[in-house]
Amino acid sequence: MSYAVLEDVPPTKVGEIIEGELVVSPRPASPHARAATKLGGWLDGPFDEGSNGPGGWVILYEPELRFAGTGDALVPDLAGWRRERMPRIPNTPVFSLAPDWIGEVLSPSTYRWDRGPKMRVHARAGVEWLWFIDPLAMGLEIHRLQDGQWRLHGVHLGSGTVNAVPFDAVPLNLGRLWSR
C-alpha cells in the first residue's frame, strides 16, 4: 500500500497504515483528548524542557512515524526520543527514527489496533517503552521491550501518584489524567 492513500483521509480523521491496512479513526473524544493533553503537559516541563526535572527528552504530540522498509505509517498519541538519539527536532512532517517511548491513550475505536498490530510494529521498530493510558478505566499500563518481546512492567489504577518509568524521576499524579 502506498503512503499516498493517507492524502485522501479527511482532516477530521486520523489515517494510519498498519501492517498493510489503511486504518481511519475518528478524532479522539474528550476523555481521550484530556488524558493526552494532561500527560503531554506533565512531560513537557521536567522532561522536554528540563524545568524541575532531568530533561533529556524530546516529546511530541501525534507525530507520524514511518519506519524504513515496513510500509507502516503510525500516529501515536505521544512519542518521546532521548535527546542523545535526537539532539535536534528535524523540520519534517514524518519521523523515521523510532521513538524511545510511546504513549497511546486507549479509545473504544482504536483499542484493538493499539494493543495488537501497532504494538507489534512498535516492537519491530525497537521502541523501548510503551504506555497504554485508559481514561475510562483510569489506568496506566507500562510495557518494556526486552529481547524483542513486550514485558509488562507495571499497572497503575485509580488516582494515586506513581513513579512511572522511564519518567520515574518526577512523580505522576494519575488523577490529573482523568480529571474532567
Side-chain angles (χ1 to χ4, degrees), residues 3 17 63-76 79 81 85 94-102 117-127:
Y3 292 127
I17 300 172
E64 184 170 325
L65 309 174
R66 294 184 188 177
F67 306 127
T70 69
D72 296 300
L74 307 181
V75 182
W81 291 261
R85 292 188 58 241
V94 174
F95 295 84
S96 59
L97 179 65
D100 296 289
W101 169 84
I102 286 179
K118 284 179 78 171
M119 202 172 181
R120 290 191 298 269
V121 172
H122 295 319
R124 286 192 297 269
V127 175

Side-chain angles (χ1 to χ4, degrees), residues 1-25 27 62-67 70-76 93-95 118:
M1 177 173 295
S2 166
Y3 292 127
V5 300
L6 295 172
E7 295 172 12
D8 295 329
V9 174
T12 58
K13 307 280 185 186
V14 176
E16 300 176 290
I17 300 172
I18 307 172
E19 294 185 332
E21 188 171 341
L22 175 63
V23 177
V24 179
S25 305
R27 297 299 305 165
E62 290 190 350
E64 184 170 325
L65 309 174
R66 294 184 188 177
F67 306 127
T70 69
D72 296 300
L74 307 181
V75 182
V94 174
F95 295 84
K118 284 179 78 171

Side-chain angles (χ1 to χ4, degrees), residues 58 60 81-92 95 97:
V58 172
L60 296 176
W81 291 261
R82 295 180 195 277
R83 286 207 186 266
E84 60 262 16
R85 292 188 58 241
M86 185 192 286
R88 294 194 185 279
I89 301 172
N91 184 7
T92 180
F95 295 84
L97 179 65

Side-chain angles (χ1 to χ4, degrees), residues 16-152:
E16 300 176 290
I17 300 172
I18 307 172
E19 294 185 332
E21 188 171 341
L22 175 63
V23 177
V24 179
S25 305
R27 297 299 305 165
S30 58
H32 177 122
R34 180 74 170 173
T37 299
K38 288 296 193 177
L39 180 60
W42 173 74
L43 290 166
D44 183 57
F47 299 100
D48 194 306
E49 297 290 329
S51 173
N52 296 317
W57 287 83
V58 172
I59 306 293
L60 296 176
Y61 182 75
E62 290 190 350
E64 184 170 325
L65 309 174
R66 294 184 188 177
F67 306 127
T70 69
D72 296 300
L74 307 181
V75 182
D77 294 301
L78 292 153
W81 291 261
R82 295 180 195 277
R83 286 207 186 266
E84 60 262 16
R85 292 188 58 241
M86 185 192 286
R88 294 194 185 279
I89 301 172
N91 184 7
T92 180
V94 174
F95 295 84
S96 59
L97 179 65
D100 296 289
W101 169 84
I102 286 179
E104 289 283 13
V105 180
L106 299 173
S107 294
S109 63
T110 62
Y111 186 91
R112 74 179 188 96
W113 291 102
D114 290 340
R115 295 190 61 88
K118 284 179 78 171
M119 202 172 181
R120 290 191 298 269
V121 172
H122 295 319
R124 286 192 297 269
V127 175
E128 183 180 5
W129 294 98
L130 177 59
W131 286 14
F132 291 120
I133 300 97
D134 189 334
L136 300 179
M138 296 191 298
L140 166 64
E141 192 175 292
I142 301 169
H143 296 265
R144 185 173 192 183
L145 189 67
Q146 295 176 307
D147 300 320
Q149 300 293 316
W150 290 113
R151 306 279 186 236
L152 183 61

